[in-house]
Amino acid sequence: MGAAAVGFAPSLAPLIIDRFLQSLGEAVILPNSLCVLGRAFSADKKARAVGIWSAAAAVASGVAPAIEGAILDQGSWRTTFLMLLHVSASALAVGAVWIPKAPPPGHAWVDVGGAVVSTVGLGALAAGLTSLTNGSRPNLWVLVTLIAGLGCLVGLIVTQRRLGDSAMLSPSLFAPRSVVGANLFTALLYGSLTVMLTLIPFVMIRGAHLSTLVAGLAFIPLQVLITVVSPLAGMLCRRFGRRWPLFAGGAVVASGCTMALRIGPNATYWADIFPSILLVALGMSLAIAPLTTLVLTSVEADRAGIASGVNSAVSRGASLFAIALLGGVLQQGGPQLFSGFHMAMKVASVGCVLPTLAVFIIKPGSHVDFIPPD
């Protein structure tokens, strides 16, 4: 429904509203799909199931940019959204047939206030940061949005502690240190990854003057490696424990961001861009499935959906702030574009080193179905 509305949006304001509607649907699907996996598989099979889930997601996210690049070269951007109608309808049909029915849930308190306050807070902070990085001076609008955003997030923390287990973000959910470590790792890694995923195609098109189709195909190696390596997540977790696949993944992604410093105005894909993407692909393929498995297995089985939802929100929030901080770079052209791009890659590289330190917050050992609070 949201995709169809975006495809027919007559102007910017309806487009933003329709994208918000589309995002609501996506926000419901992701944590619930992981919750189904968490309940359907035992501890010894859960990591492999999550690996296959990650591989399927990688295939989809690898094919989509390539198709969209071809469409943008030949047709309208609206077509890229309208084609989602057939995909969504197929997904609904498959889900209705294959996903087992769960027992009727009991009465559950929905923390609507927490959801509204968190949305307003994140949105206000993103708006303020975007204005600052676009070259705006700290005017009244910027100050108001930043103060309102910070105030909402502080208020959210206070109210969530007061509500306890009835809160959207129950404090007891973060009692296991592995949950804290996993979410910190997620925020740092996905924020840095978003910088690369956003800027490299932009620089390829605007700076190196490569085609939209080539930019759409650029990250195919990322999806291929994730598809191949993710089903091995169970073996990685059993062989190396909870920490080391994540440590290695963050370190390799950091080296990929550093390799991107080679990209310049005369860059070619295979010689200058592909080596960086290959390293990022290898690092993410090592980290994604073990990280998702860690999130699901660090809490009780009946809280797996909440834990995966929080982790998904953390990754999206990190991506939101990363994009908000890129406004100044995205406005540049010529030598200034590459100067800003290289600075962003240096920051992203440091941002990927920090998750390798965050893994030591995670409780050592192999994955199990439930780890009691530390």
Side-chain angles (χ1 to χ4, degrees):
M1 179 178 176
V6 170
F8 292 107
S11 60
L12 179 60
L15 175 65
I16 294 174
I17 295 173
D18 297 336
R19 282 288 286 165
F20 179 77
L21 177 64
Q22 183 183 8
S23 300
L24 284 178
E26 295 172 354
V28 172
I29 291 172
L30 181 59
N32 278 283
S33 65
L34 287 172
C35 185
V36 170
L37 289 183
R39 291 179 177 274
F41 294 92
S42 59
D44 58 333
K45 296 181 179 180
K46 192 171 294 184
R48 180 171 175 78
V50 170
I52 295 172
W53 177 89
S54 300
V59 170
S61 58
V63 171
I67 296 175
E68 290 168 356
I71 292 174
L72 291 175
D73 275 345
Q74 303 297 328
S76 169
W77 63 267
R78 297 179 184 273
T79 308
T80 63
F81 287 95
L82 295 176
M83 71 179 186
L84 294 178
L85 293 175
H86 306 87
V87 177
S88 301
S90 300
L92 286 173
V94 170
V97 173
W98 289 100
I99 296 177
K101 292 184 178 180
H107 176 72
W109 166 265
V110 178
D111 184 11
V112 177
V116 171
V117 170
S118 62
T119 301
V120 173
L122 291 173
L125 280 177
L129 292 173
T130 301
S131 296
L132 280 177
T133 57
N134 280 341
S136 299
R137 296 180 179 179
N139 53 35
L140 182 61
W141 159 253
V142 172
L143 293 176
V144 167
T145 53
L146 291 176
I147 292 173
L150 289 173
C152 286
L153 295 184
V154 171
L156 177 68
I157 294 172
V158 173
T159 56
Q160 297 299 284
R161 291 178 63 88
R162 180 174 57 83
L163 290 174
D165 288 339
S166 299
M168 178 182 68
L169 300 174
S170 171
S172 63
L173 182 67
F174 299 93
R177 78 185 203 208
S178 294
V179 174
V180 176
N183 283 294
L184 182 59
F185 182 93
T186 297
L188 294 170
L189 185 67
Y190 276 86
S192 301
L193 177 67
T194 298
V195 171
M196 193 170 192
L197 293 178
T198 303
L199 288 184
I200 285 186
F202 183 81
V203 167
M204 288 175 67
I205 296 171
R206 186 165 180 175
H209 306 292
L210 299 173
S211 70
T212 306
L213 178 59
V214 172
L217 293 170
F219 286 97
I220 288 292
L222 173 65
Q223 322 307 337
V224 171
L225 268 178
I226 293 175
T227 303
V228 172
V229 177
S230 290
L232 304 177
M235 182 189 70
L236 291 174
C237 295
R238 289 191 298 270
R239 179 70 176 84
F240 299 104
R242 304 161 64 85
R243 291 175 171 174
W244 293 110
L246 301 180
F247 182 91
V252 175
V253 173
S255 66
C257 293
T258 302
M259 184 70 72
L261 296 175
R262 300 174 53 190
I263 300 174
N266 299 316
T268 61
Y269 178 73
W270 291 109
D272 304 302
I273 300 170
F274 176 74
S276 173
I277 292 176
L278 182 63
L279 287 172
V280 171
L282 179 59
M284 292 304 296
S285 65
L286 289 172
I288 288 178
L291 175 63
T292 306
T293 307
L294 174 65
V295 171
L296 291 178
T297 57
S298 294
V299 297
E300 303 95 325
D302 61 349
R303 307 188 79 178
I306 298 175
S308 63
V310 169
N311 189 252
S312 176
V314 167
S315 67
R316 299 304 186 269
S319 298
L320 171 69
F321 287 120
I323 293 174
L325 292 171
L326 293 178
V329 180
L330 296 174
Q331 286 187 345
Q332 301 298 325
Q336 292 81 12
L337 171 59
F338 286 98
S339 176
F341 169 70
H342 290 156
M343 177 58 68
M345 287 299 99
K346 292 176 183 177
V347 174
S349 181
V350 174
C352 290
V353 171
L354 296 178
T356 64
L357 303 178
V359 301
F360 293 104
I361 300 175
I362 297 168
K363 187 175 180 180
S366 58
H367 290 284
V368 295
D369 240 348
F370 168 64
I371 297 175
D374 299 322

